[in-house]
Amino acid sequence: MKMKSAEFITLSACTMMLTALGIDIMLPAFSEIRKHFGLAAESNATAQIIVFFFMGQIAQLVFGALSDRFGRLIILRIGFPLYIIGGIAATYAPSLSIMLVARFIAGMGASAVFMTAIAGVRDRFVGDKMASILSLIFTIFLFTPVFAPFLGLAILSFSTWRAVFLTPPLFAVVVFVWSLRMEESLPLEKRSKLNWNTISQSIRSILSNSVFLRYTAVTTFLFTGLSSWVSSSEHILGEIYGRPELFAWIFASVGFIAALSALTNSRLSSKFGARRTIRGLLIVYSLVGALLLACTFAWGDPPQMTLFFIAIALLVGLNLAVEPNSSALAMEPMGDRAGMASAIYGTSFFFIGAALGSFISNLLANTVFPLIASFFLIGIVTLALVFGDKRPSTAGS
């Protein structure tokens, strides 16, 4: 690899950052969007702007097969224009319905660059090293929620919500140009044929791998909780707790803790291995979820605001510390099927997780109990999944 590791990690993080930036920067603009489209102030319909973006990730299934046949770079270079065009179309959409379609297209573009970033890491690294590299990438990536809401507010202070929506596609143009330095990571001799028999055989092989299914399920359940929090965070702060002025500060604080958690996980996975680390993190996650649920039963719904957001920050931080480990463990046995496996993995946690998260978000009219209960149940289920992995431990795992 001619590109040095530091540049590769930073560029990979920036390509993945497009997904986060396409969400976090526009959350402060939701109130303006409600006014623009004539929605009620308490409406949670703007959450669909996030959900449709996530659901666009279903395109990874197609991009995964194509990347295993034609390489990673061509898919990367298809994804950027989709993201840019979808972002611009959403900015000038005449109705919310058309905006949601444009957001779906932008999500398709984000899925291409996200999938190729993960597949590219898998092409270059394996095992605990891959988990460590992914944690470093996610640490950079996760600083987006720290600064994006403030950037959105800063833009709103002198312009309109449309300028906020234009920022992600403009950033994508810069990263697109930078990505032209990236080299292909999938050699010609390792590329698969593009026919139905080959694709179906590859899919069957991937879906019959219990390790892949186990850790993909872990990420999918965790993303369900994360997506319901992200899409409803502005509504929770502004309508349920009645403190919209605190939104950027609280959302950024949660993002900062998540970034620190990912950085800590990079060291933990290097020292203890991905399997031991993910088990320890999910034990803590389950305990925090159980304590928050108990406090809600004891003191009422919604719980005291400080308590609620401290718990949310811990849960989100643990969630995003777990993901690099579950990703590495899911992808490790995939070998030259990394493109298709990455696509199935990404589609599962983005599309299925976002759909389940949307269902939870729709229950959060005047209560946060559905979100709290979901975090608790997710902790229990994911804990059972990781402790159900009975493979013999190896060095570092």
Side-chain angles (χ1 to χ4, degrees), residues 28-41:
F30 276 6
S31 61
E32 295 297 322
I33 294 172
R34 290 192 195 97
K35 294 177 184 176
H36 179 82
F37 289 116
L39 301 173

Side-chain angles (χ1 to χ4, degrees), residues 285-300:
Y285 183 100
S286 300
L287 289 174
V288 173
L291 286 172
L292 180 59
L293 183 63
C295 290
T296 304
F297 277 126
W299 299 321

Side-chain angles (χ1 to χ4, degrees), residues 23-35 39-50 149 152-153 156 161 164-165 225-252 254 305 308-309 312 361 364-368 371:
I23 298 164
D24 301 331
I25 193 174
M26 51 193 59
L27 294 174
F30 276 6
S31 61
E32 295 297 322
I33 294 172
R34 290 192 195 97
K35 294 177 184 176
L39 301 173
E42 67 275 8
S43 173
N44 202 24
T46 46
Q48 300 304 311
I49 295 172
I50 306 303
L153 285 173
L156 285 172
W161 65 267
V164 176
F165 269 52
L226 178 65
S227 65
S228 61
W229 151 248
V230 171
S231 60
S232 301
S233 55
E234 184 263 351
H235 174 75
I236 291 171
L237 253 303
E239 300 302 322
I240 295 178
Y241 282 103
R243 300 297 300 273
E245 73 280 3
L246 297 179
F247 170 73
W249 292 99
I250 290 177
F251 195 86
V254 172
M305 190 171 77
F308 176 76
F309 286 108
I312 288 293
S361 296
L364 303 177
N366 300 302
T367 173
V368 293
L371 182 63

Side-chain angles (χ1 to χ4, degrees), residues 51-396:
V51 171
F52 271 74
F53 183 84
F54 281 142
M55 293 179 73
Q57 306 292 322
I58 196 171
Q60 288 192 51
L61 290 172
V62 176
F63 290 137
L66 293 176
S67 74
D68 280 345
R69 174 62 183 90
F70 298 107
R72 315 305 184 202
L73 286 184
I74 188 170
I75 304 305
L76 189 70
R77 289 166 187 169
I78 290 172
F80 276 109
L82 284 174
Y83 183 93
I84 294 165
I85 292 169
I88 294 172
T91 302
Y92 296 102
S95 69
L96 182 60
S97 298
I98 295 176
M99 175 183 282
L100 296 180
V101 173
R103 290 285 291 168
F104 186 88
I105 293 171
M108 291 173 61
S111 78
V113 298
F114 189 94
M115 182 275 299
T116 51
I118 292 181
V121 173
R122 174 60 185 86
D123 291 338
R124 294 173 171 90
F125 308 98
V126 296
D128 292 336
K129 179 66 174 177
M130 179 168 63
S132 179
I133 294 295
L134 280 173
S135 289
L136 290 173
I137 291 173
F138 268 81
T139 299
I140 301 171
F141 159 72
L142 289 171
F143 272 105
T144 308
V146 177
F147 70 82
F150 291 106
L151 179 58
L153 285 173
I155 295 171
L156 285 172
S157 68
F158 65 85
S159 190
T160 67
W161 65 267
R162 285 198 167 97
V164 176
F165 269 52
L166 278 177
T167 302
L170 290 176
F171 179 68
V173 172
V174 176
V175 181
F176 188 17
V177 174
W178 183 14
S179 73
L180 298 178
R181 283 179 43 78
M182 187 175 285
E183 296 169 310
E184 179 58 60
S185 61
L186 185 65
L188 287 171
E189 64 272 14
K190 290 189 176 182
R191 298 183 187 181
S192 61
K193 294 180 180 179
L194 189 61
N195 58 63
W196 175 245
N197 288 335
T198 302
I199 293 173
S200 60
Q201 184 178 6
S202 177
I203 292 174
R204 283 196 301 270
S205 175
I206 292 166
L207 294 181
S208 64
N209 188 292
S210 61
V211 175
F212 176 82
L213 292 178
R214 182 181 302 278
Y215 291 103
T216 299
V218 169
T219 305
T220 301
F221 283 119
L222 287 169
F223 189 76
T224 296
L226 178 65
S227 65
S228 61
W229 151 248
V230 171
S231 60
S232 301
S233 55
E234 184 263 351
H235 174 75
I236 291 171
L237 253 303
E239 300 302 322
I240 295 178
Y241 282 103
R243 300 297 300 273
E245 73 280 3
L246 297 179
F247 170 73
W249 292 99
I250 290 177
F251 195 86
S253 298
V254 172
F256 181 73
I257 291 172
L260 290 181
S261 298
L263 181 60
T264 301
N265 175 68
S266 178
R267 298 185 178 184
L268 291 175
S269 60
S270 295
K271 183 176 181 179
F272 299 109
R275 286 175 65 190
R276 291 176 64 189
T277 301
I278 197 173
R279 290 178 178 184
L281 291 171
L282 285 175
I283 287 172
V284 179
Y285 183 100
S286 300
L287 289 174
V288 173
L291 286 172
L292 180 59
L293 183 63
C295 290
T296 304
F297 277 126
W299 299 321
D301 177 26
Q304 199 272 337
M305 190 171 77
T306 302
L307 169 69
F308 176 76
F309 286 108
I310 288 175
I312 288 293
L314 291 172
L315 289 165
V316 171
L318 289 162
N319 184 316
L320 294 170
V322 166
E323 204 283 332
N325 298 302
S326 57
S327 177
L329 289 165
M331 294 295 293
E332 186 175 12
M334 292 298 101
D336 56 7
R337 296 163 294 170
M340 178 58 75
S342 176
I344 294 173
Y345 176 81
T347 300
S348 175
F349 84 78
F350 270 127
F351 187 82
I352 299 175
L356 293 172
S358 176
F359 173 75
I360 296 169
S361 296
N362 288 333
L363 300 177
L364 303 177
N366 300 302
T367 173
V368 293
F369 181 78
L371 182 63
I372 294 171
S374 298
F375 277 125
F376 171 72
L377 292 174
I378 288 166
I380 298 302
V381 171
T382 54
L383 203 57
L385 283 168
V386 297
F387 276 95
D389 185 356
K390 302 298 185 182
R391 293 175 297 156
S393 296
T394 58

